[in-house]
Amino acid sequence: MSEPKIQDVARLAGVSPSSISNFLNNRMGQMRPDTQAKIQQAIEQLGYRPNNAARQLKTGVASMVGLLVPSLANQFFGALACAVEAAATRYQCHVMTFSTFRDPDRERAVMADLLAYGVKGIITGSALSDTEHLAAVTSRCPVVAFDIKRNDEAHDRITTISMDNAAATAQAVQHLVTLGHRSIALVTPPPYTLNRQERIRGFQQAVAAAGITGELVIADATDGPSDPHGDTRLFELGRSAASRIVTSSARPTAAIAINDMMAIGIGVGLKQLGRRIPADISLVGIDDIFFCAAHDPPLTTLRQPIQAMADAAVKCILAPDDKPDGALFAPELIVRSSTATPPQP
Amino acid sequence: MSEPKIQDVARLAGVSPSSISNFLNNRMGQMRPDTQAKIQQAIEQLGYRPNNAARQLKTGVASMVGLLVPSLANQFFGALACAVEAAATRYQCHVMTFSTFRDPDRERAVMADLLAYGVKGIITGSALSDTEHLAAVTSRCPVVAFDIKRNDEAHDRITTISMDNAAATAQAVQHLVTLGHRSIALVTPPPYTLNRQERIRGFQQAVAAAGITGELVIADATDGPSDPHGDTRLFELGRSAASRIVTSSARPTAAIAINDMMAIGIGVGLKQLGRRIPADISLVGIDDIFFCAAHDPPLTTLRQPIQAMADAAVKCILAPDDKPDGALFAPELIVRSSTATPPQP
DNA sequence: CTGTTAGCGCCTTCAA
DNA sequence: TTGAAGGCGCTAACAG
C-alpha cells in the first residue's frame, strides 16, 4: 500500500535522488541520454509518482486553484466548474471546488480550507457575504469574482470577471422590438447584486430608447418548496411570477427573465395559466444553460460566454502578467423558438 | 504574504509548538484551560491556519477523496458531486473532482494526479476503460464505482454502489401496466454497461410477467451535433429515436427511457412529430434530475437516491468498518404528468 | 502538563 | 554529470 519514493527510483536506476528530481522537473540539460532512459524506465517500473504534499511543502506553492459555487447541482455552476477545470488544465493546474449553499459560515470555512491548501488563487461564483473575512483572504491570495459584483470596499481588491449585463438585457429588448413588441416585462428577484442592477439598467435604457413600455416584475415570494440543495429557487420564483405577468396592467407581450432558470420557471407557469409561447407571449432568458434547448419551445436566450470568462478568470490567477482578455464579455443572442411577433389584438 | 507558522503561534502564546499541535488536534485533556485560551487567542490574532501539505506529509494521509465524473456540465453528475461533497464534509473530508470527458487518457492522468495527492480513496462515475491501469490504482487506494458496473476482473477489487437497475425498469413497467398500457418500448443506447443490461433485463422480465408486448429500441445514431463537453449525447440520441418509436410495428403506447436525459430528448422528438404526451404516448425516465420537473409535461421517473448512494460510497472509503448501507439501492417511483392511460384506439 | 527532537518526501544549493 | 546535506511546517514520541 505504500507509495514508491524518489529514493527507490534512484536506487533502481542506479543514480542519485537529485538526478531524479532534475528529470522530473525537466532539467534534462544536465544528464546523459542513457541516464534519462534509465530513470524513465525505473519510474515506469515502480509506477512512481512524486508526492504532491512533499513537493508543495518544499516549493511553497501548490498547483491548485479554488472554486466556490453556490451549488454544483445548479446547471450553470456545473458548466462553470467544467470550464474552469478546462482552463486550469492548460496551466497544469488542478481545481478544488466547493459548494457553499450560499451559507456565509460555510463560505468562510471553505475559504479557510482553500487557504490551508495553499491554493494559488480563488475564483468565486458565490457571493462571499462576510466582507471582513474576505479582506483577510485577499491579502493572502488573488480572488476573482465570477459574475458577482458589489460596491463593497472589500471588493476593491478582487478582480471581477463578468458579462456586460446591461448589454444582455438591451439586446433582448432590441430583439423583441424588432419582432414588433411594444410592452415588455423584466422579471427578476430583488436586485441585491450589482449585476442584476446592471441588467435592469440595460433593460430600462433600451426600453426608453425604443419608446416602448417596460415593466419591472420583482419576484420575491414563492409558494413552492425551497430547495437549497438543488438551488432551484429561481425556478420556483419564476413559476410564481407568471401570474403577475399575465395580470399586469401593462399587458406585456413578452417577458425577459433575469436568467434561464427563472425563464424556465416562467415558461412552466405561463403554460399552466393556459398561455402559449410564443403565440401569446414571447420569452427570453439569459445564460444559455443546456436545458434551454430542451425547453418547450426551445428558449431564446443571451448566451454567457462561460468558457472565455473562465479562461480569463484562471489567467488572472495563474498568468496575471499576460494582457487581460478584457473585463467585460459580450453576450451572444441565441434565437430559438420562444420569441415571435406579438399576438394581434 | 507569507503565512504564519506554528512556531509563530507558539512564540506569541508563550508555549511550545507541540502544545499548539495538541490544541489543533483536539487533545485538550493534557493542558490547562488558561493555556488553551492563550493559544486560541494567538491563533486568532495571527489568523493562523495549519498548512495542509506539511500536515499531510507528516501524517501520511490527506483528508481528501477523489471524484471522477464524465462531465460536471452534466446535470446528473453535478448533483452527484454535490451529494458526495455533502457526505464527505460530515467526515471533515474534502473532495477533488475531475471531469474525464470519457477520455481514457484523461482518466488515466487524473487517477495518477489523485494518487499523487494521497487521496484516501476514489469514487468514480466515469467508466475507467483502462483496465490495466485501474489495477495499479486499486492496489494503492480503495476505489468505489458509482452506478458503473462491468464484468472485468479488474472490477473485482472495486466496490460498486448502484441502484437496483432491474427494479427501476420493472417498476416503470408496472406503473404503465396499471394505467392500462399493453405495448411498451424501452429506449436505450447500446447496452455496453452492466447496469444498462440490468435495466433491460428488468424490463423484459416485467413485460413477460405482465403478458404484454415489450420492444427494445437501441438508439445508436444521431444526426445532431456531438457535444462531448456538455455531455448531451443522450439527449440527441433520444430525439433521434422518437421517430423509431412512432413507426414501430409494435405500436407502443408508452416509452421508458434508459435515463432522464434521453427521456427529455425523446419528449422533444415526439412533440416535433406531433405526438402529445401523455395523451398519445406516455413517457417515463430514470434518475430524477432537476429538469424532470421543468419538462413539459413534468416527467414521471424513477428517482435514483443519489444522496444515500453518495453517503454509502463515501462511507466505503472513510469508514469501511461500519456496516454497509446495502449494495443495491431501491429506486423510487415519482409520478408526474407524462404518464396516463393509453389512447383509445 | 509542557518542551525537545526527529523525521515525513522532496527540492535545491554546493561540492565532488 | 552526480552525490550529500539541509530544511519546508507539522506531528508524535519521549523527556522533563
Side-chain angles (χ1 to χ4, degrees), chain A residues 15-16 18 29-32 35 57-58:
Chain A
V15 299
S16 82
S18 64
Q30 13 194 313
M31 72 188 86
R32 286 190 308 255
T35 305
L57 183 55
K58 182 61 190 178

Side-chain angles (χ1 to χ4, degrees), chain A residues 228-253:
Chain A
H229 209 88
D231 206 50
T232 59
R233 193 177 122 269
L234 286 183
F235 172 80
E236 294 298 339
L237 234 35
R239 184 150 70 177
S240 311
S243 64
R244 294 184 47 201
I245 298 169
V246 163
T247 59
S248 161
S249 59
R251 304 192 150 279
T253 57

Side-chain angles (χ1 to χ4, degrees), chain B residues 15-16 18 29-31 35 57-58:
Chain B
V15 299
S16 81
S18 64
Q30 15 193 312
M31 73 187 83
T35 306
L57 182 56
K58 179 63 188 178

Side-chain angles (χ1 to χ4, degrees), chain A residues 109-152:
Chain A
V110 146
M111 288 289 231
D113 286 340
L114 249 15
L115 251 24
Y117 276 110
V119 292
K120 288 190 163 160
I122 296 175
I123 298 171
T124 178
S126 188
L128 306 182
S129 14
D130 186 338
T131 297
E132 184 182 349
H133 186 257
L134 183 55
V137 174
T138 54
S139 72
R140 279 160 151 82
C141 77
V143 175
V144 179
F146 191 98
D147 196 33
I148 295 282
K149 211 192 308 188
R150 291 189 314 196
N151 273 327
D152 295 352

